[in-house]
């Protein structure tokens, strides 16, 4: 949920009109309808040790946040850990 909140803050700071409840709505949608066997494409890519969308998603959000002088502690930690893990493949 924190990743959604941080990304929402970036969008709002960039001038995108977003509903204040959007992070909660997305989170509920993801958890209410979640299939226990379902995985994200990024999770499958990491498991298979192949190229992934880390830069496309988290990297872009962090770059935009830096331009807007925002700090995103959870996204930064998530990105750094996944970047470290993906360095070996």
């Amino acid at each position: 949920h924190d990743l959604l909140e941080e990304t929402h803050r970036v969008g709002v700071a960039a001038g995108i009109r977003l509903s204040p409840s959007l992070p909660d709505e997305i989170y509920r949608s993801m958890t209410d309808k979640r299939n226990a066997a379902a995985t994200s494409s990024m999770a499958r890519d990491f498991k298979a040790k192949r190229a992934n969308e880390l830069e496309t998603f988290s990297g872009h959000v962090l770059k935009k946040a830096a331009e807007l002088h925002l700090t995103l502690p959870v996204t930064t930690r998530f990105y750094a850990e996944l970047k470290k893990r993906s360095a070996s493949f």
Side-chain angles (χ1 to χ4, degrees):
H1 193 267
D2 291 337
L3 291 170
L4 293 169
E5 290 281 349
E6 288 183 352
T7 302
H8 183 266
R9 277 194 315 126
V10 174
V12 170
I16 301 169
R17 292 174 53 186
L18 299 170
S19 166
S21 63
L22 185 61
D24 291 332
E25 292 169 22
I26 293 170
Y27 184 78
R28 272 194 306 278
S29 174
M30 289 169 49
T31 57
D32 290 350
K33 299 175 185 174
R34 187 171 192 283
N35 175 337
T39 59
S40 70
S41 61
M42 192 180 328
R44 291 188 299 275
D45 290 340
F46 268 86
K47 187 175 182 180
K49 297 186 178 193
R50 60 183 178 232
N52 56 67
E53 307 104 336
L54 183 61
E55 291 303 323
T56 302
F57 298 124
S58 298
H60 179 74
V61 170
L62 288 169
K63 286 176 188 149
K64 192 65 179 175
E67 290 172 16
L68 297 167
H69 307 286
L70 297 173
T71 57
L72 308 179
V74 176
T75 304
T76 299
R77 191 170 59 244
F78 175 85
Y79 175 84
E81 180 60 33
L82 291 179
K83 187 79 170 169
K84 184 171 64 174
R85 290 181 189 188
S86 66
S88 64
F89 49 87

